[in-house]
Amino acid sequence: DWNGTLLDDTDMCYRIANEMRQERGMNLMQGVEEYRTYFTFPVVDYYRRMGYTFETEPFENISRQFVAMYAERFPACALQPCAQIALSAVLKTGARQVLLSATGQEKLDEQIAHFQLNDYFERVIGNSNNLAHGKADYAKEFLLESGVAPARALFVGDTDHDFEIASSIGCGCALLTAGHQTKKHLSTLGAQLVDSLCEVPELL
């Protein structure tokens, strides 16, 4: 997974969300941890949790504003601590690495190039605007094409949605507690939790 897992964008997303709330006269979240309690998929439910009703403003407008602010500020983001060390260590084991994200393919390619990460991945799979496809569909397609048995794959993410995807395709799952959802919530799922990406190579 990309956002919140390899890319440390949680704080930026929290700050953008608060700016948007302030513009609309809504109460501000009191910290990143409060943001993490709201974050969920689908994203429209995340906004509902934050108090948006969509009665005076459609979800599409709110989403469009967030995407524009995110794109403008993305260059200020950093990778999660130990991200490149973990990617390099996994590569040295001979394991195949694939990046899977709901981000649009073109934008994802730009972001991966920004951090010069292409050499770590066999494939970088983003959303190709196929409305019938979600991350689970792209993951299934890759596993079928590559001939990798799902039971031999480890999905590394940071949300309950990532755990749901891994479970639906029969993959193992490790969830990073430093991403977009609270450790307290993630601990209820039954997934392997890691506090640092440095722990991931040991799971292979």
Side-chain angles (χ1 to χ4, degrees):
D1 178 56
W2 178 232
N3 301 94
T5 302
L6 285 170
L7 181 66
D8 187 5
D9 63 352
T10 305
D11 185 72
M12 184 181 74
C13 289
Y14 152 69
R15 293 180 184 280
I16 291 174
N18 252 0
E19 287 183 35
M20 291 175 62
R21 292 168 70 89
Q22 188 169 32
E23 282 181 21
R24 292 160 175 81
M26 301 167 70
N27 292 333
L28 298 185
M29 291 179 284
Q30 296 305 301
V32 175
E33 202 64 10
E34 182 179 351
Y35 160 83
R36 286 185 169 120
T37 66
Y38 295 137
F39 190 79
T40 191
F41 289 93
V43 173
V44 65
D45 289 342
Y46 152 62
Y47 282 105
R48 287 194 180 103
R49 283 186 177 186
M50 285 200 296
Y52 287 86
T53 63
F54 311 122
E55 291 175 359
T56 58
E57 185 178 18
F59 166 68
E60 289 72 20
N61 287 9
I62 296 164
S63 178
R64 196 176 296 117
Q65 181 184 1
F66 173 85
V67 168
M69 294 174 75
Y70 185 100
E72 181 182 325
R73 300 181 193 189
F74 165 80
C77 284
L79 295 176
Q80 289 281 12
C82 209
Q84 286 187 278
I85 293 171
L87 289 171
S88 181
V90 170
L91 206 59
K92 286 177 181 175
T93 69
R96 303 161 72 175
Q97 291 189 115
V98 176
L99 185 68
L100 179 65
S101 174
T103 299
Q105 186 69 57
E106 184 177 347
K107 184 61 65 177
L108 182 62
D109 288 338
E110 291 175 5
Q111 293 177 358
I112 299 307
H114 173 79
F115 286 103
Q116 301 179 323
L117 297 178
N118 296 80
D119 290 345
Y120 292 109
F121 300 109
E122 178 178 332
R123 287 269 297 279
V124 173
I125 304 172
N127 193 317
S128 299
N129 295 319
N130 183 338
L131 297 179
H133 270 45
K135 284 171 69 174
D137 298 297
Y138 290 117
K140 285 178 185 175
E141 286 180 0
F142 172 78
L143 290 172
L144 282 172
E145 290 171 13
S146 64
V148 174
R152 291 180 56 81
L154 178 68
F155 193 116
V156 183
D158 70 306
T159 67
D160 49 14
H161 184 54
D162 293 321
F163 179 66
E164 289 167 5
I165 292 171
S167 299
S168 73
I169 59 179
C171 291
C173 184
L175 297 178
L176 180 68
T177 60
H180 287 273
Q181 291 183 328
T182 66
K183 184 174 184 176
K184 180 180 179 181
H185 173 62
L186 297 179
S187 67
T188 67
L189 303 175
Q192 171 76 50
L193 302 187
V194 293
D195 294 324
S196 165
L197 290 176
C198 283
E199 300 171 45
V200 171
E202 302 168 8
L203 304 178
L204 301 179

